[in-house]
Amino acid sequence: MSGRASLFHVYIGIDYSGAEKPDSRIKGLAVAVAREDEPFQLSLPPVSDHRSIPPVAAAKQTLWSRRLVYEWLLHELYYSDKRIIVGLDHGLSYPLSQLQRLGLQDWDTFLKWSQRTWQTSRLTMKQSKEQADYINSTDKRLVEREFIPSTKSVTDLDRVSGMQGAVSYSTHTGLPWIYRLRKCQRRGLKIHFWPYDGLVLPEDRHVITEAYPSLYRRRIQTTAAYEPLSEHERDAAYIADWLQARDRAGALMPYLELATLSQQEQQLALLEGWVLGCL
């Protein structure tokens, strides 16, 4: 282990899904948390009140909904006295070509447009698509073109219709909750959206990043703890595990600084976003 002090104390990995409704408890969502030097643990949703309407079936008590993930994460970010880094497995912005077509000059303008256009905090993705005025695109962001070309475009909504694992569905069902977190940030929540808020991280802020589990799977040594996990649980664990391992080794900062990118590429990343771990 490096003698360099760790940047964070808590490492959260969230595997996302755009399936069903925002309040539906689904197998495609998973949360893993690693604390300090301790191995990761799966995090389960809070136990439902027996008076919940509608009541939650016993078989689904251990499953997350997108709303529950947001509420749980918000609570962690507000009340934790330990610095947190979060890796979310969905896109947080669009390719430059699509931002330009829509006339969106910065990330906040994009989030506001997304909130107006996509009603996925109350509708299914299919229902929202029926109401939204959008143009399908297979364009990719710089990080996808250059570092993870196997991934699909976050704006390719038609060719993957009905696929709950599609990154485009995950992205468009995740963005409303990012918008809400952004509003909480404006009201005092101490978080830093990387890289949109800049590549220099204030020491008193938690950090929200975009993650890609397949990238980390090849870079970590899995243990027996992975064996009983579902595919989605493993993806959440890969994120938390990689964040923890890199940070505890004193090797996370280069990935956050993006020093290997040109100045022009760094400026583009402030708009399109970046996947943590790509250099």
Side-chain angles (χ1 to χ4, degrees):
M1 181 173 292
S2 168
R4 183 175 179 177
S6 298
L7 300 172
F8 303 94
H9 302 281
V10 181
Y11 312 88
I12 297 177
I14 299 176
D15 188 48
Y16 219 71
S17 171
E20 300 187 37
K21 299 177 180 179
D23 290 301
S24 299
R25 297 201 179 216
I26 54 179
K27 295 180 180 180
L29 290 165
V31 179
V33 182
R35 302 182 188 276
E36 305 286 353
D37 291 313
E38 296 298 316
F40 75 85
Q41 297 286 333
L42 290 181
S43 183
L44 299 179
V47 177
S48 295
D49 191 310
H50 69 281
R51 295 167 295 182
S52 297
I53 301 175
V56 178
K60 293 194 172 184
Q61 288 280 353
T62 60
L63 300 181
W64 289 94
S65 71
R66 289 190 288 275
R67 190 181 306 279
L68 282 175
V69 169
Y70 163 75
E71 291 173 348
W72 173 86
L73 180 58
L74 182 62
H75 183 275
E76 292 292 307
L77 295 170
Y78 259 123
Y79 295 107
S80 176
D81 60 354
K82 302 291 186 180
R83 195 180 187 201
I84 299 170
I85 184 168
V86 181
L88 291 167
D89 181 25
H90 67 72
L92 301 179
S93 187
Y94 273 10
L96 178 62
S97 59
Q98 297 307 302
L99 294 172
Q100 291 176 332
R101 182 183 64 79
L102 294 164
L104 304 175
Q105 302 298 319
D106 55 52
W107 192 54
D108 281 302
T109 306
F110 164 74
L111 288 180
K112 292 175 183 176
W113 169 85
S114 177
Q115 181 70 8
R116 292 194 306 269
T117 304
W118 298 100
Q119 304 299 312
T120 50
S121 61
R122 62 183 183 86
L123 302 176
T124 66
M125 190 63 208
K126 180 180 179 181
Q127 291 169 334
S128 187
K129 280 177 63 177
E130 292 170 350
Q131 296 185 5
D133 181 15
Y134 74 97
I135 296 177
N136 194 72
S137 171
T138 59
D139 292 354
K140 293 185 178 183
R141 298 172 295 167
L142 174 65
V143 68
E144 294 156 343
R145 297 195 307 271
E146 297 295 328
F147 292 93
I148 43 175
S150 61
T151 190
K152 303 295 189 295
S153 169
V154 297
T155 53
D156 188 357
L157 290 159
D158 289 348
R159 294 199 306 168
V160 294
S161 179
M163 291 177 58
Q164 68 179 46
V167 66
S168 58
Y169 275 37
S170 295
T171 295
H172 288 82
T173 54
L175 283 171
W177 312 107
I178 297 299
Y179 175 79
R180 294 188 184 195
L181 285 176
R182 188 63 158 179
K183 289 181 68 175
C184 292
Q185 181 194 42
R186 302 296 190 207
R187 296 168 183 164
L189 179 60
K190 291 188 175 183
I191 54 176
H192 183 95
F193 288 96
W194 179 89
Y196 307 97
D197 289 331
L199 301 179
V200 177
L201 309 181
E203 294 183 0
D204 64 339
R205 302 295 176 101
H206 305 303
V207 177
I208 310 292
T209 71
E210 181 179 342
Y212 190 58
S214 295
L215 184 68
Y216 314 137
R217 182 179 64 233
R218 302 189 296 268
R219 299 179 177 181
I220 60 175
Q221 292 183 339
T222 58
T223 65
Y226 280 87
E227 293 179 5
L229 304 183
S230 70
E231 176 186 356
H232 302 291
E233 291 168 340
R234 286 176 184 169
D235 282 350
Y238 292 143
I239 298 171
D241 219 352
W242 183 83
L243 289 171
Q244 180 192 46
R246 291 296 84 210
D247 191 32
R248 294 327 232 181
L252 188 59
M253 183 58 82
Y255 293 103
L256 293 163
E257 292 175 334
L258 296 182
T260 60
L261 300 188
S262 68
Q263 185 174 2
Q264 182 179 6
E265 289 170 334
Q266 288 183 358
Q267 289 300 310
L268 182 57
L270 299 182
L271 186 59
E272 285 190 337
W274 202 259
V275 174
L276 188 60
C278 292
L279 281 180

